[in-house]
Coordinates of all heavy atoms in Angstrom, one line a residue:
M1 N 0.8 -1.2 0.0 CA 0.0 0.0 0.0 C 0.9 1.2 0.0 O 1.9 1.3 0.7 CB -0.9 0.0 1.2 CG -1.9 1.1 1.3 SD -3.1 0.6 2.5 CE -3.6 2.1 3.2
T2 N 0.5 2.2 -0.8 CA 1.3 3.4 -0.9 C 0.9 4.4 0.2 O -0.2 4.4 0.7 CB 1.1 4.1 -2.3 OG1 -0.2 4.4 -2.4 CG2 1.6 3.2 -3.4
A3 N 1.9 5.2 0.6 CA 1.6 6.2 1.7 C 0.8 7.3 1.1 O 1.0 7.8 0.0 CB 2.9 6.7 2.3
I4 N -0.1 7.8 1.9 CA -0.9 9.0 1.6 C -0.1 10.2 2.1 O 0.3 10.3 3.2 CB -2.3 9.0 2.3 CG1 -3.1 7.8 1.9 CG2 -3.0 10.3 2.0 CD1 -3.4 7.7 0.4
T5 N 0.2 11.1 1.1 CA 1.1 12.3 1.5 C 0.4 13.6 1.4 O 1.0 14.6 1.9 CB 2.4 12.3 0.7 OG1 2.0 12.3 -0.7 CG2 3.2 11.0 0.9
T6 N -0.7 13.7 0.7 CA -1.3 15.0 0.6 C -2.8 14.9 1.0 O -3.4 13.9 0.9 CB -1.2 15.5 -0.9 OG1 -2.1 14.7 -1.7 CG2 0.2 15.5 -1.4
S7 N -3.3 16.1 1.3 CA -4.7 16.1 1.6 C -5.6 15.7 0.4 O -6.7 15.1 0.6 CB -5.1 17.5 2.1 OG -4.9 18.5 1.1
A8 N -5.1 16.1 -0.8 CA -5.9 15.7 -2.0 C -6.0 14.2 -2.1 O -7.0 13.7 -2.5 CB -5.3 16.4 -3.2
Q9 N -4.9 13.5 -1.9 CA -4.9 12.1 -2.0 C -5.9 11.5 -0.9 O -6.6 10.5 -1.2 CB -3.5 11.5 -1.8 CG -2.6 11.8 -2.9 CD -1.1 11.4 -2.6 OE1 -0.6 11.7 -1.5 NE2 -0.5 10.8 -3.5
A10 N -5.8 12.0 0.3 CA -6.7 11.5 1.3 C -8.1 11.8 1.0 O -9.0 11.0 1.2 CB -6.3 12.1 2.7
A11 N -8.4 13.0 0.4 CA -9.8 13.3 0.0 C -10.3 12.4 -1.1 O -11.4 12.0 -1.1 CB -9.8 14.8 -0.5
R12 N -9.4 12.1 -2.0 CA -9.8 11.1 -3.1 C -10.2 9.8 -2.5 O -11.1 9.1 -2.9 CB -8.7 11.0 -4.2 CG -8.7 12.2 -5.1 CD -7.8 11.9 -6.3 NE -6.4 11.8 -6.0 CZ -5.6 12.9 -5.9 NH1 -6.0 14.1 -6.1 NH2 -4.3 12.7 -5.5
R13 N -9.4 9.3 -1.5 CA -9.6 8.1 -0.9 C -11.0 8.1 -0.2 O -11.8 7.2 -0.2 CB -8.5 7.8 0.1 CG -8.5 6.5 0.8 CD -8.0 5.3 0.1 NE -6.7 5.3 -0.6 CZ -5.6 4.8 -0.2 NH1 -5.5 4.2 1.0 NH2 -4.5 4.8 -1.0
A14 N -11.3 9.3 0.5 CA -12.6 9.4 1.2 C -13.7 9.3 0.2 O -14.8 8.7 0.4 CB -12.6 10.8 1.9
V15 N -13.6 10.0 -1.0 CA -14.6 10.0 -2.0 C -14.8 8.5 -2.5 O -16.0 8.1 -2.7 CB -14.3 10.9 -3.2 CG1 -15.2 10.7 -4.4 CG2 -14.4 12.4 -2.7
S16 N -13.7 7.8 -2.7 CA -13.8 6.4 -3.2 C -14.6 5.6 -2.2 O -15.5 4.8 -2.6 CB -12.4 5.9 -3.4 OG -12.5 4.5 -3.8
W17 N -14.3 5.7 -0.9 CA -15.0 4.9 0.1 C -16.5 5.4 0.2 O -17.4 4.5 0.3 CB -14.4 5.1 1.5 CG -13.2 4.2 1.7 CD1 -11.9 4.5 1.7 CD2 -13.2 2.7 1.8 NE1 -11.1 3.4 1.9 CE2 -11.9 2.3 2.0 CE3 -14.3 1.8 1.9 CZ2 -11.6 0.9 2.2 CZ3 -14.0 0.5 2.1 CH2 -12.6 0.1 2.2
A18 N -16.8 6.7 0.0 CA -18.2 7.1 0.0 C -18.9 6.5 -1.2 O -20.1 6.1 -1.0 CB -18.2 8.6 0.0
A19 N -18.3 6.4 -2.3 CA -18.9 5.8 -3.5 C -19.2 4.3 -3.2 O -20.3 3.8 -3.6 CB -18.1 6.0 -4.7
S20 N -18.2 3.7 -2.6 CA -18.4 2.2 -2.2 C -19.6 2.1 -1.3 O -20.4 1.1 -1.4 CB -17.2 1.7 -1.6 OG -16.1 1.6 -2.5
A21 N -19.7 3.0 -0.3 CA -20.8 2.9 0.6 C -22.2 3.1 -0.1 O -23.1 2.4 0.2 CB -20.7 4.0 1.7
E22 N -22.2 4.0 -1.0 CA -23.5 4.2 -1.8 C -23.8 3.0 -2.6 O -25.0 2.6 -2.7 CB -23.4 5.4 -2.7 CG -24.6 5.7 -3.5 CD -25.9 5.9 -2.7 OE1 -25.8 6.4 -1.5 OE2 -27.0 5.6 -3.2
D23 N -22.8 2.4 -3.2 CA -23.0 1.2 -4.0 C -23.6 0.1 -3.1 O -24.5 -0.7 -3.5 CB -21.8 0.7 -4.7 CG -21.3 1.6 -5.8 OD1 -22.1 2.5 -6.3 OD2 -20.1 1.5 -6.2
A24 N -23.0 -0.1 -2.0 CA -23.4 -1.2 -1.0 C -24.8 -0.9 -0.5 O -25.6 -1.8 -0.4 CB -22.4 -1.3 0.1
A25 N -25.1 0.4 -0.3 CA -26.5 0.8 0.2 C -27.5 0.4 -0.9 O -28.6 -0.1 -0.6 CB -26.6 2.2 0.5
Q26 N -27.2 0.7 -2.1 CA -28.1 0.4 -3.2 C -28.3 -1.1 -3.4 O -29.4 -1.6 -3.6 CB -27.6 1.0 -4.5 CG -27.7 2.5 -4.6 CD -27.1 3.1 -5.9 OE1 -26.5 2.4 -6.7 NE2 -27.3 4.4 -6.0
A27 N -27.2 -1.8 -3.3 CA -27.3 -3.3 -3.3 C -28.2 -3.9 -2.2 O -29.0 -4.8 -2.4 CB -25.9 -3.9 -3.3
A28 N -28.0 -3.3 -1.0 CA -28.8 -3.8 0.1 C -30.2 -3.5 -0.1 O -31.1 -4.4 0.2 CB -28.3 -3.1 1.4
R29 N -30.6 -2.3 -0.6 CA -32.0 -2.0 -0.8 C -32.6 -2.9 -1.8 O -33.7 -3.4 -1.7 CB -32.1 -0.5 -1.3 CG -32.1 0.5 -0.2 CD -32.5 1.9 -0.7 NE -31.6 2.4 -1.7 CZ -30.5 3.1 -1.5 NH1 -30.1 3.3 -0.3 NH2 -29.7 3.6 -2.5
A30 N -31.8 -3.2 -2.9 CA -32.3 -4.1 -3.9 C -32.6 -5.5 -3.4 O -33.6 -6.1 -3.7 CB -31.4 -4.1 -5.1
R31 N -31.7 -6.0 -2.6 CA -31.8 -7.3 -2.0 C -33.0 -7.4 -1.0 O -33.7 -8.4 -0.9 CB -30.5 -7.8 -1.5 CG -29.7 -8.4 -2.6 CD -28.2 -8.0 -2.4 NE -27.4 -8.5 -3.6 CZ -27.3 -7.8 -4.7 NH1 -27.8 -6.6 -4.8 NH2 -26.5 -8.2 -5.7
R32 N -33.1 -6.3 -0.2 CA -34.2 -6.3 0.7 C -35.6 -6.2 0.0 O -36.5 -6.9 0.4 CB -34.0 -5.1 1.7 CG -34.8 -5.2 3.0 CD -34.3 -4.3 4.0 NE -33.1 -4.7 4.6 CZ -32.9 -5.7 5.5 NH1 -33.9 -6.5 5.8 NH2 -31.7 -6.0 6.0
Q33 N -35.6 -5.5 -1.1 CA -36.8 -5.4 -1.9 C -37.2 -6.8 -2.5 O -38.3 -7.2 -2.5 CB -36.7 -4.4 -3.0 CG -37.9 -4.2 -3.8 CD -37.7 -3.2 -4.9 OE1 -36.6 -3.0 -5.5 NE2 -38.8 -2.5 -5.3
K34 N -36.1 -7.5 -3.0 CA -36.4 -8.8 -3.5 C -36.9 -9.8 -2.4 O -37.7 -10.6 -2.6 CB -35.1 -9.3 -4.1 CG -35.2 -10.6 -4.9 CD -36.0 -10.3 -6.2 CE -35.9 -11.5 -7.1 NZ -36.7 -11.4 -8.3
G35 N -36.3 -9.6 -1.2 CA -36.7 -10.4 -0.1 C -38.2 -10.1 0.3 O -39.0 -11.1 0.6
D36 N -38.6 -8.9 0.2 CA -40.0 -8.5 0.4 C -40.9 -9.1 -0.6 O -42.0 -9.6 -0.3 CB -40.2 -7.0 0.4 CG -39.5 -6.3 1.6 OD1 -39.2 -7.0 2.6 OD2 -39.3 -5.1 1.5
Q37 N -40.4 -9.2 -1.9 CA -41.2 -9.8 -2.9 C -41.4 -11.3 -2.6 O -42.6 -11.8 -2.8 CB -40.6 -9.6 -4.3 CG -40.6 -8.2 -4.8 CD -39.8 -8.0 -6.0 OE1 -39.1 -8.9 -6.5 NE2 -39.9 -6.8 -6.6
W38 N -40.4 -12.0 -2.2 CA -40.5 -13.4 -2.0 C -41.3 -13.6 -0.7 O -42.1 -14.6 -0.7 CB -39.1 -14.0 -1.7 CG -38.4 -14.4 -3.0 CD1 -37.4 -13.7 -3.6 CD2 -38.7 -15.5 -3.8 NE1 -37.1 -14.4 -4.8 CE2 -37.8 -15.5 -4.9 CE3 -39.6 -16.5 -3.7 CZ2 -37.9 -16.5 -5.9 CZ3 -39.7 -17.5 -4.7 CH2 -38.8 -17.5 -5.8
A39 N -41.2 -12.8 0.3 CA -42.0 -13.0 1.5 C -43.5 -12.8 1.3 O -44.3 -13.4 2.0 CB -41.5 -12.0 2.6
S40 N -43.8 -12.0 0.3 CA -45.3 -11.8 0.0 C -45.9 -13.0 -0.8 O -47.1 -13.0 -1.0 CB -45.5 -10.5 -0.7 OG -44.9 -10.6 -2.1
Q41 N -45.0 -13.8 -1.3 CA -45.5 -14.9 -2.1 C -45.8 -16.2 -1.3 O -45.0 -16.4 -0.3 CB -44.5 -15.3 -3.2 CG -44.3 -14.2 -4.3 CD -43.3 -14.6 -5.3 OE1 -42.8 -15.7 -5.3 NE2 -42.9 -13.7 -6.2
R42 N -46.7 -16.9 -1.6 CA -47.0 -18.1 -0.8 C -45.8 -19.1 -1.0 O -45.4 -19.4 -2.1 CB -48.3 -18.8 -1.4 CG -48.7 -20.0 -0.7 CD -50.0 -20.6 -1.3 NE -50.3 -21.9 -0.8 CZ -51.3 -22.1 0.0 NH1 -52.2 -21.2 0.3 NH2 -51.5 -23.3 0.5
G43 N -45.3 -19.5 0.1 CA -44.2 -20.5 0.1 C -42.9 -19.9 -0.1 O -41.9 -20.6 -0.3
G44 N -42.8 -18.6 -0.2 CA -41.6 -17.9 -0.5 C -40.7 -17.5 0.7 O -39.7 -16.9 0.5
R45 N -41.1 -17.8 1.9 CA -40.5 -17.4 3.1 C -39.0 -17.9 3.1 O -38.1 -17.1 3.5 CB -41.2 -18.0 4.3 CG -40.6 -17.6 5.6 CD -41.2 -16.3 6.1 NE -40.8 -16.0 7.4 CZ -40.1 -15.0 7.8 NH1 -39.7 -14.2 6.8 NH2 -39.7 -14.8 9.0
G46 N -38.7 -19.1 2.7 CA -37.3 -19.6 2.7 C -36.4 -18.8 1.8 O -35.3 -18.4 2.1
N47 N -36.9 -18.4 0.6 CA -36.1 -17.6 -0.3 C -36.0 -16.2 0.2 O -34.9 -15.6 0.0 CB -36.8 -17.6 -1.7 CG -36.7 -18.9 -2.4 OD1 -35.7 -19.6 -2.3 ND2 -37.7 -19.2 -3.3
S48 N -37.0 -15.7 0.9 CA -36.9 -14.3 1.4 C -35.8 -14.2 2.4 O -35.1 -13.2 2.5 CB -38.2 -13.8 2.0 OG -38.5 -14.5 3.2
V49 N -35.6 -15.2 3.2 CA -34.5 -15.2 4.3 C -33.2 -15.1 3.6 O -32.3 -14.3 4.1 CB -34.6 -16.5 5.2 CG1 -33.4 -16.6 6.1 CG2 -35.9 -16.5 6.0
D50 N -33.0 -15.8 2.6 CA -31.7 -15.7 1.8 C -31.4 -14.3 1.3 O -30.3 -13.7 1.5 CB -31.6 -16.7 0.7 CG -31.6 -18.1 1.1 OD1 -31.2 -18.4 2.2 OD2 -32.0 -19.0 0.3
W51 N -32.5 -13.6 0.8 CA -32.3 -12.3 0.3 C -32.1 -11.3 1.4 O -31.2 -10.4 1.3 CB -33.5 -11.9 -0.5 CG -33.5 -12.5 -1.9 CD1 -34.2 -13.6 -2.3 CD2 -32.7 -12.1 -3.0 NE1 -34.0 -13.9 -3.6 CE2 -33.1 -13.0 -4.1 CE3 -31.8 -11.1 -3.3 CZ2 -32.5 -12.9 -5.3 CZ3 -31.2 -11.0 -4.5 CH2 -31.6 -11.9 -5.5
Y52 N -32.7 -11.5 2.5 CA -32.5 -10.6 3.7 C -31.1 -10.8 4.2 O -30.5 -9.8 4.6 CB -33.6 -10.9 4.8 CG -35.0 -10.4 4.4 CD1 -36.1 -11.2 4.8 CD2 -35.2 -9.2 3.7 CE1 -37.3 -10.8 4.4 CE2 -36.5 -8.9 3.4 CZ -37.6 -9.7 3.7 OH -38.8 -9.3 3.4
E53 N -30.6 -12.0 4.3 CA -29.2 -12.2 4.7 C -28.2 -11.5 3.8 O -27.2 -10.9 4.3 CB -28.9 -13.7 4.8 CG -29.6 -14.3 6.0 CD -29.5 -15.9 6.0 OE1 -28.9 -16.4 5.1 OE2 -30.0 -16.5 7.0
R54 N -28.5 -11.6 2.5 CA -27.6 -10.9 1.6 C -27.7 -9.4 1.8 O -26.6 -8.7 1.7 CB -28.0 -11.2 0.1 CG -27.7 -12.7 -0.2 CD -28.2 -13.0 -1.6 NE -28.2 -14.4 -1.8 CZ -28.9 -15.0 -2.8 NH1 -29.5 -14.2 -3.7 NH2 -28.9 -16.3 -2.9
A55 N -28.9 -8.9 2.0 CA -29.0 -7.4 2.3 C -28.2 -7.0 3.6 O -27.5 -6.0 3.6 CB -30.5 -7.1 2.5
E56 N -28.3 -7.8 4.6 CA -27.6 -7.5 5.8 C -26.1 -7.5 5.6 O -25.4 -6.7 6.2 CB -27.9 -8.5 6.9 CG -29.4 -8.3 7.4 CD -29.8 -9.4 8.4 OE1 -29.0 -10.4 8.7 OE2 -31.0 -9.4 8.8
S57 N -25.6 -8.4 4.7 CA -24.2 -8.4 4.4 C -23.8 -7.1 3.7 O -22.7 -6.5 4.1 CB -23.9 -9.6 3.5 OG -22.5 -9.6 3.1
Y58 N -24.6 -6.7 2.8 CA -24.3 -5.4 2.1 C -24.4 -4.2 3.1 O -23.7 -3.3 2.9 CB -25.2 -5.2 0.9 CG -24.7 -5.9 -0.3 CD1 -25.2 -7.1 -0.8 CD2 -23.6 -5.3 -1.1 CE1 -24.7 -7.7 -1.9 CE2 -23.1 -6.0 -2.2 CZ -23.7 -7.2 -2.6 OH -23.2 -7.8 -3.7
E59 N -25.3 -4.3 4.0 CA -25.4 -3.2 5.0 C -24.2 -3.2 5.9 O -23.7 -2.1 6.3 CB -26.7 -3.4 5.9 CG -27.9 -3.1 5.1 CD -29.2 -3.7 5.7 OE1 -29.2 -4.4 6.7 OE2 -30.3 -3.3 5.2
R60 N -23.6 -4.3 6.2 CA -22.3 -4.3 7.0 C -21.2 -3.7 6.2 O -20.4 -3.0 6.7 CB -22.0 -5.7 7.5 CG -22.9 -6.2 8.6 CD -22.3 -7.6 9.2 NE -22.4 -8.6 8.2 CZ -23.4 -9.4 8.0 NH1 -24.5 -9.2 8.6 NH2 -23.3 -10.4 7.1
T61 N -21.2 -4.1 4.9 CA -20.2 -3.5 4.0 C -20.4 -2.0 3.9 O -19.4 -1.2 3.9 CB -20.3 -4.2 2.6 OG1 -20.1 -5.5 2.7 CG2 -19.3 -3.5 1.6
R62 N -21.6 -1.5 3.8 CA -21.9 -0.1 3.7 C -21.4 0.6 5.0 O -20.8 1.6 4.9 CB -23.4 0.1 3.6 CG -23.8 1.6 3.6 CD -25.2 1.8 4.1 NE -25.4 1.3 5.4 CZ -26.5 0.8 5.9 NH1 -27.6 0.7 5.2 NH2 -26.6 0.3 7.1
D63 N -21.7 0.0 6.2 CA -21.2 0.6 7.4 C -19.7 0.8 7.5 O -19.2 1.8 7.9 CB -21.8 -0.2 8.6 CG -23.3 -0.2 8.8 OD1 -23.9 0.7 8.1 OD2 -23.8 -1.0 9.5
K64 N -19.0 -0.3 7.0 CA -17.6 -0.2 7.0 C -17.1 0.9 6.1 O -16.2 1.7 6.4 CB -16.9 -1.5 6.6 CG -15.4 -1.5 6.5 CD -14.8 -2.8 6.0 CE -13.3 -2.6 5.8 NZ -12.7 -3.7 5.2
A65 N -17.7 1.0 4.9 CA -17.3 2.0 3.9 C -17.6 3.4 4.4 O -16.8 4.3 4.2 CB -18.0 1.7 2.6
V66 N -18.7 3.6 5.1 CA -19.0 4.9 5.7 C -17.9 5.3 6.7 O -17.4 6.4 6.7 CB -20.4 4.9 6.3 CG1 -20.6 6.1 7.2 CG2 -21.4 4.9 5.2
A67 N -17.6 4.3 7.6 CA -16.6 4.6 8.6 C -15.2 4.9 7.9 O -14.5 5.9 8.4 CB -16.4 3.4 9.5
M68 N -14.9 4.2 6.9 CA -13.6 4.5 6.2 C -13.6 5.8 5.5 O -12.7 6.6 5.5 CB -13.3 3.4 5.2 CG -13.0 2.0 5.8 SD -11.6 2.0 6.9 CE -10.3 2.2 5.7
A69 N -14.8 6.2 4.9 CA -14.9 7.5 4.2 C -14.7 8.6 5.3 O -14.0 9.6 5.0 CB -16.2 7.6 3.5
N70 N -15.4 8.5 6.4 CA -15.2 9.5 7.5 C -13.8 9.6 8.0 O -13.3 10.7 8.2 CB -16.2 9.2 8.6 CG -17.6 9.5 8.3 OD1 -17.9 10.4 7.5 ND2 -18.5 8.7 8.9
M71 N -13.1 8.4 8.1 CA -11.8 8.4 8.6 C -10.9 9.2 7.6 O -10.1 10.0 8.0 CB -11.2 7.0 8.8 CG -9.8 6.9 9.2 SD -9.1 5.3 9.1 CE -8.8 5.2 7.3
W72 N -11.0 8.9 6.3 CA -10.2 9.5 5.3 C -10.5 11.0 5.2 O -9.6 11.8 4.9 CB -10.3 8.8 3.9 CG -9.4 7.6 4.0 CD1 -9.9 6.3 4.0 CD2 -8.0 7.5 4.0 NE1 -8.8 5.4 4.0 CE2 -7.7 6.1 4.0 CE3 -7.0 8.4 4.0 CZ2 -6.3 5.7 4.1 CZ3 -5.7 8.0 4.1 CH2 -5.4 6.6 4.1
A73 N -11.7 11.4 5.4 CA -12.1 12.8 5.3 C -11.5 13.5 6.5 O -10.9 14.6 6.3 CB -13.6 12.9 5.3
N74 N -11.4 12.9 7.6 CA -10.8 13.5 8.8 C -9.3 13.7 8.5 O -8.7 14.7 8.9 CB -11.0 12.7 10.0 CG -12.5 12.9 10.5 OD1 -13.1 13.8 10.3 ND2 -13.0 11.8 11.2
I75 N -8.7 12.6 8.0 CA -7.2 12.7 7.7 C -7.0 13.8 6.6 O -6.0 14.5 6.8 CB -6.7 11.3 7.2 CG1 -6.8 10.3 8.3 CG2 -5.3 11.4 6.5 CD1 -6.5 8.9 7.9
A76 N -7.8 13.9 5.6 CA -7.7 14.9 4.6 C -7.7 16.3 5.3 O -6.9 17.2 4.9 CB -8.7 14.8 3.5
G77 N -8.6 16.5 6.2 CA -8.7 17.8 6.9 C -7.5 18.1 7.7 O -7.0 19.2 7.7
V78 N -6.9 17.1 8.4 CA -5.7 17.3 9.2 C -4.5 17.6 8.3 O -3.7 18.5 8.5 CB -5.4 16.1 10.1 CG1 -4.0 16.2 10.7 CG2 -6.5 16.0 11.2
L79 N -4.4 16.8 7.2 CA -3.3 17.1 6.3 C -3.4 18.5 5.6 O -2.4 19.1 5.4 CB -3.3 16.0 5.2 CG -2.8 14.6 5.6 CD1 -3.0 13.6 4.5 CD2 -1.4 14.7 6.1
H80 N -4.7 18.9 5.3 CA -4.8 20.2 4.7 C -4.3 21.3 5.7 O -3.7 22.2 5.3 CB -6.3 20.4 4.4 CG -6.6 21.8 3.8 ND1 -6.2 22.2 2.6 CD2 -7.2 22.9 4.4 CE1 -6.5 23.4 2.4 NE2 -7.1 23.9 3.4
L81 N -4.7 21.2 7.0 CA -4.2 22.1 8.0 C -2.7 22.1 8.0 O -2.1 23.2 8.1 CB -4.8 21.8 9.3 CG -6.3 22.1 9.5 CD1 -6.7 21.6 10.9 CD2 -6.6 23.5 9.3
A82 N -2.1 20.9 8.0 CA -0.6 20.8 8.0 C 0.0 21.5 6.8 O 1.0 22.2 6.9 CB -0.2 19.4 8.1
E83 N -0.6 21.3 5.6 CA -0.1 21.8 4.4 C -0.2 23.4 4.4 O 0.6 24.1 3.8 CB -0.9 21.3 3.2 CG -0.6 19.9 2.9 CD -1.6 19.2 1.9 OE1 -2.6 19.9 1.5 OE2 -1.4 18.0 1.6
E84 N -1.2 23.9 5.1 CA -1.4 25.3 5.2 C -0.6 25.9 6.3 O -0.5 27.1 6.5 CB -2.9 25.7 5.4 CG -3.8 25.3 4.3 CD -3.5 26.0 3.0 OE1 -3.3 27.3 3.0 OE2 -3.4 25.4 1.9
G85 N 0.1 25.1 7.1 CA 0.9 25.5 8.2 C 0.2 25.9 9.4 O 0.7 26.6 10.3
E86 N -1.1 25.5 9.5 CA -1.9 25.8 10.7 C -1.8 24.6 11.7 O -1.7 23.5 11.3 CB -3.4 26.0 10.3 CG -3.5 27.2 9.3 CD -5.0 27.4 8.9 OE1 -5.9 27.0 9.7 OE2 -5.2 27.9 7.9
P87 N -1.9 24.9 13.0 CA -1.9 23.9 14.0 C -3.2 23.1 13.9 O -4.3 23.6 13.7 CB -1.8 24.6 15.3 CG -2.3 26.0 15.1 CD -2.0 26.3 13.6
S88 N -3.1 21.8 14.1 CA -4.2 20.9 14.0 C -4.7 20.7 15.4 O -5.5 20.2 15.9 CB -4.0 19.6 13.4 OG -2.9 18.9 14.0

């Protein structure tokens, strides 16, 4: 892994993680919706559980990506202050 040396690099990393979080959130919504469709069908309860479990997996991925985006945004802020010569 390469070292992050500028606030711009850290900000790009934050944006990338934020995009990953959004992708995971969309995937979770789609899978939860599919689970709801299966749950509404007669005999579809078993299939709906699988879809809900997949949605939960994507929600955990989303949560991690949000945390990483926040971390990188904070790092970008500190690096920006350092680049400007201001005390953090």
Side-chain angles (χ1 to χ4, degrees):
M1 184 162 148
T2 60
I4 302 298
T5 57
T6 68
S7 61
Q9 289 171 316
R12 282 191 293 275
R13 185 81 47 106
V15 169
S16 176
W17 277 107
S20 295
E22 180 58 29
D23 291 345
Q26 288 176 355
R29 279 191 299 272
R31 278 141 185 87
R32 200 160 287 284
Q33 182 180 33
K34 190 70 169 175
D36 291 344
Q37 289 172 354
W38 276 105
S40 68
Q41 294 178 7
R42 182 180 170 113
R45 181 89 173 114
N47 287 331
S48 70
V49 170
D50 291 338
W51 285 101
Y52 291 140
E53 287 173 357
R54 293 176 194 164
E56 289 171 3
S57 176
Y58 275 102
E59 288 164 350
R60 286 189 298 274
T61 300
R62 178 207 57 212
D63 292 347
K64 177 186 175 186
V66 166
M68 294 297 290
N70 286 328
M71 179 194 75
W72 282 110
N74 290 332
I75 291 170
V78 170
L79 287 174
H80 178 71
L81 289 174
E83 290 166 357
E84 296 296 314
E86 297 180 27
S88 56

